Amino acid sequence: MRTHARRATLADIARTAGVSKSAVSFALNGRPGVSEALRERILAIAAELQYRPHSAALALGRSRVDVIGLALNRPARALGTEAFFADLISGIQAGLSPTHTGLQMQIVSSLEEELDAYAAWQGAHRVDGVILIDPRDDDPRIRLLLELGMPAVQIGSHPSPDGSIPSVWIDDAEVSRTLFTALHELGHRRIAHVAGPEEFEHTMLRISALRECAERLGAEPIRSIPTDYSAERAEEATRELLGSPIPPTAIVYDNDVMAVAGLGAAQELGVRVPKDVSIASFDDSVMARLVRPSITALTRDTFALGELAARTLMAQLASDAPVASVAAAAPVLSLRSSTKPPHA
């Protein structure tokens, strides 16, 4: 058996085994996430390197700071206009309140900044776990959190595929079909979509579902224009769509801010809503209800969504194994005066 002048670390074991430090941590602590064969190999390497856990690390591993983290990758100005985030954060706070757990929120401007925030939080032990929003395909945030061993819950569009990080989810594909079908039943066959960023999972699910609906119901192919969720980009997209040789008879927006901006752009162009073009939104808000005409929207209980996400994360923190994904209440379509049958 070899001896070492310095104390062996998790990194030494990981390097020798050719695995991540999180896999080593899972194996040494008897947590799920690694195969029995890998666990035995890691334990053998740990014994060979004479690994002994540091007493301070053990104490840190047992401690709780009673704070969870939420990193929001949005322009700071945009957050002030989106009712979704105010309701979500209020719901998260309500879900944490019974456990006297605090919320640390950080606004970031890029995916890289978000990843850095999680690493910093874990390194300084500032939070016990995090809530993720806007899942992506092959999400690098999931990989990082698993490597860090940081508990997390994601708000997404389907149950977690591998169960490693549970989801509080709403079926965005089904929601898209509900909205498209309602517009189709009104008689709309040329429908456009002003979408959010393409890297977000729910954006691509909506684009795919809307296109599938158009093909299945015999409507014209849907044109989706990705944006950054801002009012400015929504106005630009709306002007582009309404200025085309054959404009759409209905436009669907991915959030309420963009829908209101699109309404304003149409009115400035002299395009009448809903006589010349119908407008609908995937998100609802007081603003969408108060503008004239009021905007048809999918009404969801975002407060309850945040509360459920917080409670699911607290359950994850209390469990030694991943908890199950949880379905949130589906949005309900609120038909208002911004939609009507297309003008002959």
Side-chain angles (χ1 to χ4, degrees), residues 39-99:
R39 189 188 310 278
E40 290 177 7
R41 185 159 68 88
I42 288 172
L43 290 173
I45 292 171
E48 182 184 0
L49 296 178
Q50 296 182 326
Y51 171 75
R52 295 291 183 274
H54 197 285
S55 58
L58 286 174
L60 183 63
R62 289 193 297 267
S63 68
R64 288 271 290 271
V65 294
D66 294 326
V67 176
I68 69 158
L70 176 67
L72 298 178
N73 187 356
R74 288 287 194 285
R77 288 182 180 272
L79 287 176
T81 61
E82 288 193 57
F84 174 87
F85 287 105
D87 291 341
L88 182 71
I89 292 166
S90 297
I92 290 172
Q93 294 277 19
L96 297 175
S97 180
T99 63

Side-chain angles (χ1 to χ4, degrees), residues 107-316:
I107 299 172
V108 297
S109 60
S110 66
L111 176 60
E112 291 70 25
E113 230 181 276
E114 186 175 350
L115 294 171
D116 289 343
Y118 298 138
W121 284 345
Q122 178 71 352
H125 196 51
R126 293 178 191 161
V127 301
D128 297 319
V130 296
I131 293 176
L132 295 181
I133 63 168
D134 301 325
R136 298 159 166 82
D137 286 335
D138 193 25
D139 199 327
R141 301 174 304 169
I142 301 293
R143 293 197 300 272
L144 174 65
L145 292 171
L146 290 175
E147 288 176 6
L148 294 173
M150 179 181 281
V153 166
Q154 57 184 326
I155 296 176
S157 300
H158 50 66
S160 175
D162 60 4
S164 59
I165 292 183
S167 295
V168 173
W169 61 282
I170 293 173
D171 189 342
D172 267 292
E174 184 59 34
V175 168
S176 302
R177 288 189 282 269
T178 297
L179 183 51
F180 185 94
T181 301
L183 293 172
H184 188 272
E185 289 175 349
L186 285 174
H188 293 282
R189 300 297 181 266
R190 295 197 310 276
I191 302 173
H193 175 209
V194 179
E198 287 183 290
E199 65 264 27
F200 293 164
E201 182 182 79
H202 63 267
T203 300
M204 297 311 298
L205 280 172
R206 290 174 181 178
I207 290 173
S208 177
L210 290 172
R211 289 176 178 171
E212 180 272 328
C213 283
E215 182 177 353
R216 176 170 50 84
L217 296 174
E220 294 185 19
I222 283 189
R223 180 184 178 190
S224 293
I225 301 179
T227 72
D228 60 359
Y229 284 130
S230 70
E232 293 76 17
R233 283 292 292 118
E235 290 173 356
E236 292 172 8
T238 303
R239 292 177 184 276
E240 180 182 341
L241 290 167
L242 295 179
S244 60
I246 305 178
T249 63
I251 305 176
V252 176
Y253 296 83
D254 262 8
N255 71 14
D256 55 318
V257 172
M258 294 199 295
V260 172
L263 172 63
Q267 291 171 336
E268 288 176 7
L269 292 170
V271 176
R272 297 163 297 181
V273 179
K275 187 171 184 180
D276 299 324
V277 64
S278 287
I279 283 178
S281 170
F282 272 100
D283 278 342
D284 199 3
S285 66
V286 172
M287 177 171 57
R289 294 192 292 272
L290 292 180
V291 293
R292 291 294 177 265
S294 57
I295 295 174
T296 290
L298 287 156
T299 305
R300 68 188 75 210
D301 192 340
T302 308
F303 181 94
L305 179 66
E307 189 173 23
L308 182 58
R311 289 179 175 175
T312 304
L313 179 55
M314 297 312 295
Q316 179 65 84

